[in-house]
Amino acid sequence: MSRQQGPDESRRPSHLSWPEWWAERLGLGASWREALYHPVPRRSSVFDLLGFMTALAFLNQVVTGIILMTFYSPSVAGAYQSILAIDAVPAEHFVRDLHYWGANAMVVLVGLHLLRVFYVGAYKRPREFQWVSGALLLAVTIGFAFTGYLLPWDQQAYWATTVGTAMASYFPGIGSFLQGLARGGDTVSGATLGRFFTVHVLVLPLLLLALLGLHLLLVFVHGQSKVEEALPEGYRAKHRTGDHSDFPAGDFQPFWPNTVATMLGSALVLVAVLVALAATHPAPLLQQADPLNRANYQPTPAWYFLWIYQLLKLFPGRLDILGIVGLPLLSGFFLIALPFIDRNPSTQRRKRPFALAAGAAAMVFVLGFSYVGSSSAVGPTAAATTASSQAIAHPSFAHNVEPLLTASCQQCHSASSHSGGLVVVSYADLMKGGGLGPVIRAGDPADSLIIQALNGTSQQVTQMPLGGQQLPQSDIQLLSNWIAEGAPDN
Amino acid sequence: MESRPTRRRFMEWFLGLGTGLLAVFYGGASALALWPPAPTSAKLQDMGPVSAFPTGKPTFAVYTAGGAQDGVFVVSQTSGPPTVFDFHCTHLQCAIQWSSGASEFFCPCHGSTFNIDGAVTGGPAPRPLHRHFAEVRNGHVWVGGLSS
Ligand code: FES
């Protein structure tokens, strides 16, 4: 039974366990007990851990981010140099790799967590604001990804940010103001870097902590939906008074230490995955940002923006605004307001056919567009293929061959650098050839040095582009087709 | 008797005004610091002699605005000042390139193309290339901020 009430009551502190001691100082009453020992169903799936793992990935970002920040210099003159210096020290490079993969993991985990919550209908009354705060946390995560992208100040950072901030300029009425506000000027510059850095390391972390606090507080207040549903009638009310006599053993286990142990296990797995990725796939770094783009770099979007990138191709000309502003805003609004739009009170899958079908359709849409976007976006030669979409049977020099040469070959074979004596700027240059003689035998692609070099089958020259990835077969085919037709100047 | 409501009203008034002042002060200071500069604020710059810019073929040049470098294409005209295009695509501002073979500007990002007058000839770009202010002084081409 409980201890005797008596004059010794006031000296109780010396007998308190450490959680009780802290609970008393923090004025937590008995709620810490409820938090620590609340029953959790024994049978649980990894999906239950997604929210926790997202928070954990964030913790990874905090730790690695603080380390990176001590070496990083947020200025046009210093940013790229400081990243080079970081990459020169293996331990620091590894921290950057971890930060890079942690960022990707956060985007993935927050997305999966959201899907899971949607699927089980856990956003319904009374958990609407758990969902709303979660949707805002997703927005903050994307903000982190977007602002962090610029900081290495390489070509990818610079031009992806140029395109990303240019999207803001499509906003009706205040578009150019928004773009200027994001950039601190007309173009992406040192002012932009300063703004993005501050937002990335200060504003967004504060926002995230505030939202996460609310998110977790609400989990504490309302409990996890599936736990509440499984608990016996009236258990919660009794539990709040400190009576744990009918703890539903059997199907349930206490949060501490059983569930916490599972969480720790998932933490170890996540960190192991991040370490493995960081060790095998280091964070990329391209050439230093060049606002004049002298090397004709062509930016590609981050993987989580691929679907928007692909979508934009569907809205030509003046309808662009629908894809650039309308659709993202609308989907954001839907996402945040979902619990107030979907008024169906049921959380049973069979009773929510419409919501689940709509969710599935949205997923298919995003994944499908991402896939198409990824296969059409990448590679330095998309210039040639986007201008004229498919691998071309009867290529024209001006429309197909020349843009391809410009994008893929002129970095080295220009009038100023003329590697190997070869210049491919004009038709005449190309036909003249280089130090090894003509590179094109009209009508005979197989015997043309340029095709051999691109295929890596030449005895005389190494595979081209030098040090780069082989051109897509469609591009080499295009060139072959053109040579087969007699290499006309058309 | 009379003093209580008056005092109370004064307190309310003071609270409202005080909070408002603080908000205006910090809000105003932030807005002043972060407000984007006007787009055409950069000064005219000498780009070199007119002879360096042939007609019928855009020539790449560097224009520096607010410490940041910007690319422009200068196209001399048979009469009047040269046309100067900003090298950012009007779609989403990737860097355009001049293709001498096709005699047009093209943008590698989503495939917009523009003719030598800056007009859109293909792709998603919604409007002609942006132009910079330009004039000829003493045989030199001078370029200023964006004019359109
Ligand atoms: S940015 Fe030039 S076509 Fe999209």
Side-chain angles (χ1 to χ4, degrees):
Chain A
M1 292 302 285
S2 65
R3 274 160 277 190
Q4 289 281 315
Q5 298 282 347
D8 284 354
E9 188 72 1
S10 57
R11 277 189 269 129
R12 178 72 52 79
S14 57
H15 311 131
L16 291 178
S17 69
W18 66 264
E20 284 167 330
W21 191 88
W22 277 108
E24 190 181 82
R25 257 119 213 103
L26 300 176
L28 295 181
S31 53
W32 66 271
R33 222 171 234 295
E34 191 193 333
L36 219 50
Y37 300 119
H38 72 267
V40 177
R42 249 179 231 291
R43 294 170 56 103
S44 66
S45 71
V46 284
F47 300 121
D48 297 334
L49 292 165
L50 286 169
F52 169 70
M53 287 168 87
T54 310
L56 200 78
F58 174 65
L59 193 68
N60 176 78
Q61 296 314 88
V62 171
V63 176
T64 53
I66 289 174
I67 297 174
L68 288 175
M69 208 176 141
T70 60
F71 297 106
Y72 177 74
S73 154
S75 68
V76 170
Y80 187 75
Q81 300 308 323
S82 61
I83 300 288
L84 284 182
I86 286 172
D87 282 0
V89 181
E92 292 169 24
H93 195 339
F94 191 69
V95 171
R96 192 167 87 84
D97 301 336
L98 268 181
H99 196 72
Y100 171 80
W101 282 108
N104 284 298
M106 234 180 119
V107 175
V108 172
L109 288 168
V110 82
L112 290 177
H113 179 43
L114 179 135
L115 284 179
R116 153 80 169 174
V117 169
F118 175 78
Y119 182 65
V120 299
Y123 54 87
K124 306 201 171 197
R125 184 178 160 241
R127 298 187 180 77
E128 291 94 335
F129 283 97
Q130 249 152 293
W131 175 272
V132 172
S133 56
L136 293 175
L137 280 165
L138 171 68
V140 170
T141 305
I142 294 174
F144 268 118
F146 184 62
T147 49
Y149 216 75
L150 178 65
L151 303 186
W153 200 248
D154 63 355
Q155 279 284 71
Q156 174 160 318
Y158 185 90
W159 289 100
T161 302
T162 295
V163 170
T165 45
M167 291 177 77
S169 71
Y170 277 75
F171 205 96
I174 52 169
S176 50
F177 172 79
L178 289 180
Q179 180 194 297
L181 190 66
R183 291 183 180 172
D186 290 347
T187 56
V188 173
S189 64
T192 322
L193 189 55
R195 284 171 191 224
F196 276 41
F197 176 71
T198 311
V199 169
H200 189 79
V201 304
L202 196 65
V203 180
L204 288 176
L206 288 177
L207 252 172
L208 186 135
L209 287 177
L211 286 167
L212 188 62
L214 176 67
H215 200 65
L216 294 180
L217 180 75
L218 290 173
V219 174
F220 182 68
V221 169
H222 295 302
Q224 272 180 297
S225 66
K226 78 178 218 187
V227 176
E228 300 300 303
E229 276 165 24
L231 281 174
E233 190 78 29
Y235 176 81
R236 226 355 136 166
K238 249 161 97 187
H239 188 70
R240 287 224 165 86
T241 66
D243 178 355
H244 308 279
S245 54
D246 58 352
F247 186 92
D251 292 346
F252 288 85
Q253 62 185 20
F255 179 73
W256 171 269
N258 304 42
T259 306
V260 173
T262 317
M263 288 163 75
L264 181 64
S266 75
L268 293 175
V269 170
L270 177 66
V271 172
V273 168
L274 289 182
V275 166
L277 283 169
T280 51
H281 297 78
L285 185 69
L286 305 188
Q287 300 296 307
Q288 180 162 13
D290 173 17
L292 299 176
N293 200 28
R294 278 164 288 222
N296 294 332
Y297 169 76
Q298 183 198 339
T300 50
W303 61 264
Y304 33 82
F305 291 134
L306 274 174
W307 65 281
I308 301 184
Y309 164 85
Q310 185 61 24
L311 191 75
L312 291 189
K313 297 184 186 166
L314 288 190
F315 294 95
R318 297 187 185 273
L319 287 181
D320 244 11
I321 187 170
L322 288 180
I324 296 175
V325 179
L327 207 92
L329 273 189
L330 205 67
S331 19
F333 170 77
F334 253 96
L335 202 63
I336 290 175
L338 175 72
F340 307 100
I341 295 170
D342 174 12
R343 308 299 292 268
N344 175 358
S346 176
T347 57
Q348 287 183 327
R349 292 191 244 317
R350 269 181 298 128
K351 293 187 181 157
R352 331 165 37 214
F354 182 72
L356 289 179
M363 276 320 291
V364 169
F365 177 83
V366 169
L367 290 179
F369 269 76
S370 300
Y371 175 74
V372 180
S374 71
S375 47
S376 76
V378 219
T381 57
T385 39
T386 38
S388 37
S389 13
Q390 263 91 48
I392 299 138
H394 308 286
S396 116
F397 177 77
H399 282 96
N400 315 117
V401 175
E402 214 247 1
L404 190 150
L405 296 173
T406 306
S408 306
C409 317
Q410 283 184 10
Q411 257 166 273
C412 307
H413 298 289
S414 67
S416 54
S417 22
H418 49 79
S419 256
L422 177 65
V423 176
V424 298
V425 174
S426 71
Y427 179 78
D429 297 331
L430 176 65
M431 299 311 284
K432 192 165 79 197
L436 293 169
V439 295
I440 288 179
R441 246 182 81 115
D444 191 354
D447 199 33
S448 296
L449 186 56
I450 190 169
I451 299 294
Q452 296 168 353
L454 290 173
N455 280 324
T457 57
S458 164
Q459 308 292 324
Q460 299 163 281
V461 290
T462 50
Q463 177 156 8
M464 293 289 154
L466 194 62
Q469 281 203 330
Q470 187 177 27
L471 293 189
Q473 274 309 315
S474 58
D475 285 348
I476 302 180
Q477 192 57 48
L478 182 159
L479 215 51
S480 293
N481 292 349
W482 175 71
I483 296 174
E485 293 196 331
D489 184 10
N490 54 353
Chain B
M1 286 292 129
E2 187 70 341
S3 75
R4 267 175 190 250
T6 323
R7 201 170 132 175
R8 185 180 193 115
R9 196 164 320 136
F10 172 76
M11 286 300 276
E12 285 169 2
W13 182 84
F14 174 71
L15 284 172
L17 185 79
T19 330
L21 270 177
L22 286 173
V24 167
F25 176 69
Y26 284 106
S30 316
L32 268 183
L34 298 176
W35 206 267
T40 48
S41 55
K43 292 206 186 71
L44 282 179
Q45 287 161 30
D46 186 356
M47 292 282 149
V50 178
S51 57
F53 303 101
T55 53
K57 182 185 178 314
T59 308
F60 186 75
V62 180
Y63 172 77
T64 309
Q69 290 187 317
D70 186 10
V72 293
F73 282 101
V74 181
V75 190
S76 284
Q77 305 295 319
T78 37
S79 66
T83 320
V84 177
F85 298 113
D86 195 82
F87 92 142
H88 290 98
C89 178
T90 54
H91 180 226
L92 287 171
Q93 305 182 14
C94 283
I96 55 165
Q97 298 157 37
W98 172 254
S99 155
S100 48
S103 256
E104 60 184 12
F105 295 103
F106 72 94
C107 174
C109 283
H110 315 94
S112 287
T113 51
F114 307 85
N115 68 18
I116 197 164
D117 299 321
V120 182
T121 52
R127 46 155 298 152
L129 290 176
H130 292 291
R131 292 174 183 222
H132 282 252
F133 179 82
E135 65 181 28
V136 175
R137 281 191 212 159
N138 307 325
H140 276 229
V141 175
W142 288 74
V143 170
L146 288 173
S147 66
S148 73

